[in-house]
Amino acid sequence: MRTTYEDLLRVARRDAVVAYNSAHADTTDLVAGWQATLTAARHHFRWLRLELSTSDFASADPLAAKGALAALARSIGAGGDLLASQSRSTRGAWDDENSLEAARAELAWIMDRAARASVARLKTAQTNDGLRRHLADVIAELKSVRKRGSPDIGDMRGLTTTLPHAAVDQPSQVILLAARWQAAHETTAPGGTLTRDLRSTTAQVRTVIGYGMHLAARLEQRGTTAELSRELAQALRLAGAATQHVARLWRTRLSDLNGRSEGPAESAFVELIGVMRAWMSDGERLTRPQDPLDDRRAGTVVRDVIDELMQSADRVAKVQQETVAWLVRRGHLFVPRVELAKRDPEFDRRPQVWRLRYPQPAWVRTNMVSCFDEVTAALAEVTDHLSAAARLARRIAGTSDLRRPYGPKHFVSPPVQPVPVVDPPVATRSPGGRYRPEYWDLIPEIYRDLDGLER
């Protein structure tokens, strides 16, 4: 499903053995192949907090490399690229010095095989004393690194790529699109988020929970995962009930804007849900939970899909919780005027002249956190249940030790000084009888304090 760091080290070790065994027969592009391997290893070692002191071989062109050493360079480079793709969510894997030493020792062993393969090729190739001395220096430098550490690389074993494998069928498409949906939310800065975007996110999470419950019901057929699947279904039921509460709060506690969300996450979700519906239906209706799975492979596929779905839903819910907290602290969200008056007695104590000249609006902006206690509590309940569901899904799929990176952190602490209460323009009455500010009047108010922020 996802490539792990342990997988790439295993592939690099295999390629090193292949290069070593073919050293006497293959003498093509020796210099270029070795330099490509050394360049990839130098990049890889830097992510393991080790700098090679041996310089590059000056007369080499790594771009011209072919053969076994070139394949080894690609494997080593892929491992370094995986380490480079990690984020703050997985940086704890570098805290264990024993794991770092073990990873360095493994990479040093791989490079030692490559260097000795190159030395063996020099015996049948034209004499190159400069390269021979260079290889001897590399082998000598790696000797001390290769002997240190243990074969267990600890938490680094489970470091994974940011996205799953390329899609080859509908289930793998669902897995890949779920990860992209998650990434779209993680890379959306909170500064430009509107209430309708928050409502859309809640609807997206509710929909994914519904499909997750359907998949969990199908997994209850399997004897080995039946109990965990029932626990997963219960966690999802609780999360679904919490999202219903959040959806009601978006309608009654905060002002809303007309129209549909146009953010990138909305488009990513529409694509995800289309492929998911096509995979889980027979053309007219969803497959019934009691329908038997075709074979063991089908059960494995369902476990992989629900693992990625729950991981993505959990992250999206947490991003929404962080976004709302950011917006509340900055005073960008609206509450009914009467609710703010209950908590701030000074709000309505204005001169009568002010009231006559500026009619009191139905909705006001505030950074008073107590006005949003119910919203934040409901969002926290959603994330708690989805986190439990994600843990259960990882246990069902056997991916409990994976450490998946997620998007960059956009949430910057706001200024310490309190944000003053800002009144929106005069509200108009909606067809349903509820006061609602006009869309074109609210836009300047919403974006007034966003100059300079990352959008």
Side-chain angles (χ1 to χ4, degrees), residues 152-214:
D152 183 11
I153 60 176
D155 288 341
M156 299 194 71
R157 180 191 301 109
L159 293 175
T160 68
T161 52
T162 54
L163 289 176
H165 291 315
V168 295
D169 53 14
Q170 283 185 328
S172 58
Q173 278 185 301
V174 172
I175 290 174
L176 182 60
L177 292 175
R180 289 178 176 172
W181 170 57
Q182 169 191 335
H185 278 281
E186 290 169 342
T187 54
T188 300
T193 304
L194 305 178
T195 308
R196 61 182 179 182
D197 299 322
L198 299 175
R199 293 182 65 192
S200 174
T201 300
T202 300
Q204 294 168 26
V205 172
R206 288 185 64 191
T207 304
V208 170
I209 288 174
Y211 280 101
M213 292 176 63
H214 186 85

Side-chain angles (χ1 to χ4, degrees), residues 134-146:
H134 175 78
L135 292 171
D137 292 340
V138 172
I139 293 174
E141 181 178 2
L142 294 176
K143 183 177 181 180
S144 59
V145 180
R146 186 163 49 90

